[in-house]
Each structure stands twice: as structure tokens, then as C-alpha cells.
Amino acid sequence: MQDHPVGPTDLTDLRGDCANCFGLCCVALPFTASADFALDKDAGTPCRNLQDDHRCGIHARLRQSGFSGCTVYDCFGAGQKVSQVTFAGKDWRTASREHARRMFDVFPVVRQLQELLWYLTEALTLPAARPLHAELRKIRETTEELTRGTPEALAALDVAAHRQEVNVLLLKTSELARAGVRGRKKNRRGADLMGARLKGADLRGANLRGAYLIAADLTGADLRGADLIGADLRDTDLTDADLTDAFFLTQPQLNAARGSAGTRLPGSVARPVHWTAQF
């Protein structure tokens, strides 16, 4: 394993860099034929669209080819970290089967840790969470150190336990951040809002952690300062919605939703390309 110092991490470091990855998401992860994937694929088996240079042969037309599930996935930088740090740039194609198996086993673990780093890094940008910044920095540093562990240490790691420890701080962060949002703060944590008609709804400072918003109509809704960690936004209509200062929103969540040029977004995420193509 390469020796890298543990230092501050910004959100730029927590996005997938396919040029420095060995196509791990296209090999390590399984998928089932569905509306999101055109075929079945077992874990550890390369996708038929993966080329010898680890690039996707249909990347520019994934949605049209029945692989929309690939377009909403992001490894939060786990791919390049496992490829270049954990396994020191040694390709699974040319290594032993055991090496490949260990790489595929470790990838999902690091992906979970990288996602936690995303939330912790964003939490440190929230002024209202300043009273927690020291604790947030400490646990972020610990999480970063875990991502740089040996393959053996990563395979043995109890990710669920570490996630719970992080979640305690993220909950406190959410409470502080939402307390400063004007208006009534709705608690919709884990709520079943699938297909809900919430056009123009006032959801400022709402707790939407883990809410099921699949195919919900949030056209023109006000989601400023809302906590969206873990919210299921598949096919959610965010046309002209205002998500300014919404936090713990990730790019995969946004990519799974629908929106428009009029949708206002926090600076931590980018407007999905397919939005402008469809609307």
C-alpha cells in the first residue's frame, strides 16, 4: 500500500475519477435486468460494455442502451482510492485471482467510507454546525485513516458501527443547521411519500432523512435548508424546485431525479446533463 499523509479532504476528492480507476464499479458490483439495467451481471464479472482500457464502451449512450442505473451511480472516489492507494496501482486484470477478489471485496467498503467523508466534509462547511466542528474534524480524520487501511483491515472493518458513530454527529449537525431556517420545519424522516403531490410545498428546513420520494411531484417546491440525507429521489420531479442550501444531497440522488434549468441547486452538486436533454 502506498504511504499517503492524512490531510484535509474537500468534495473534489470525493467524486469518481474513472481515469485513475480499474473500472471497479463495472466489475465488482452485481446488477439485475430491470428498468435500470439491460441485463444480469454477477459480482466480480466484468460488464460486457467494459473495454480493455477500463472505460465504458457505451458511456455516451447509457440511458438509450438501457443502463440508466449506471448514470446515477457515483463511488465518491472509492474507485481511484482502491485502485491507486489500497492496491498501489496493481490492475485486477493482470494480477492473481486472489488479488482481484480482495479488490472487489474491499471496493464496497471503501465506497461507504467515502460517502461518510462526503457528509462530514459538507457538515464542516455549515456555519451553524460550528459548535461541532472539532468533533466533526476528528471523526473525519478517523474515517479518512480507515479508507487508507490495508486490504485485510478494510475487509474486517465493521462499517455499520462506524456509520452509526458518524450518524450521531450528522444528526446533531442537521438539528443545528435546520434550526436557523425560518418557518415551520416539517419532520418527514423516513416518510413514505412515493408519488406524493407536493407541488409548490413549503419544505424549508424539513427533515427528509431517508424519506421515500420516488416519483413524487415536487415541482416548484421550496426545499431550502432541508436535510436530504438518504432520501430516495428516483424519478422525483424537481422542476423549478428550490434546493438552495439543502444539505447532505449527493450527486447520485440528484442524477436519479428529474429537473429543469429552473431548478435551484446547492453548490455541492452539478445539474445533471440529462435534465437539459429532457426538458
Side-chain angles (χ1 to χ4, degrees), residues 62-270:
L62 280 166
R63 286 182 174 271
Q64 303 93 307
S65 303
F67 289 87
S68 61
C70 297
T71 68
V72 302
Y73 180 81
D74 193 296
C75 70
F76 295 98
Q80 63 261 31
K81 183 168 284 187
V82 171
S83 297
Q84 304 302 331
V85 179
T86 314
F87 289 90
K90 192 172 183 180
D91 189 347
W92 57 267
R93 288 185 186 273
T94 56
S96 66
R97 286 188 178 182
E98 177 60 20
H99 174 98
R101 185 192 63 77
R102 290 165 65 208
M103 181 176 279
F104 302 153
D105 288 345
V106 162
F107 173 66
V109 175
V110 177
R111 197 267 185 191
Q112 291 186 66
L113 294 172
Q114 292 287 111
E115 183 179 5
L116 292 178
L117 283 175
W118 175 281
Y119 297 135
L120 290 167
T121 302
E122 184 176 2
L124 283 164
T125 69
L126 302 175
R130 191 172 301 277
L132 297 172
H133 279 190
E135 291 178 85
L136 287 165
R137 287 193 188 95
K138 183 177 180 180
I139 201 164
R140 187 185 69 170
E141 186 172 300
T142 298
T143 305
E144 175 66 24
E145 289 174 346
L146 289 174
T147 69
R148 297 181 182 278
T150 64
E152 294 76 18
L154 286 164
L157 180 65
D158 186 344
V159 182
H162 184 68
R163 180 181 288 275
Q164 181 56 38
E165 185 179 356
V166 171
N167 192 49
V168 170
L169 275 179
L170 295 182
L171 281 168
K172 292 179 180 179
T173 297
S174 175
E175 291 168 1
L176 289 173
R178 291 185 297 105
V181 180
R182 297 179 62 181
R184 184 182 178 188
K185 292 117 182 129
K186 296 180 173 63
N187 185 2
R188 296 290 186 268
R189 183 178 182 181
D192 183 352
L193 298 171
M194 291 190 286
R197 298 177 181 178
L198 296 168
K199 184 175 182 179
D202 183 357
L203 293 168
R204 286 175 295 172
N207 182 354
L208 291 165
R209 296 170 66 91
Y212 295 94
L213 288 158
I214 302 169
D217 182 5
L218 286 168
T219 303
D222 192 343
L223 291 136
R224 287 176 290 174
D227 181 350
L228 291 165
I229 194 168
D232 194 333
L233 301 180
R234 284 177 291 171
D235 205 32
T236 304
D237 193 347
L238 297 174
T239 299
D240 296 335
D242 190 349
L243 288 86
T244 307
D245 297 326
F247 55 95
F248 298 152
L249 173 68
T250 65
Q251 196 64 50
Q253 285 174 293
L254 203 60
N255 289 349
R258 294 182 289 134
S260 67
T263 305
R264 285 181 250 181
L265 302 172
S268 58
V269 291

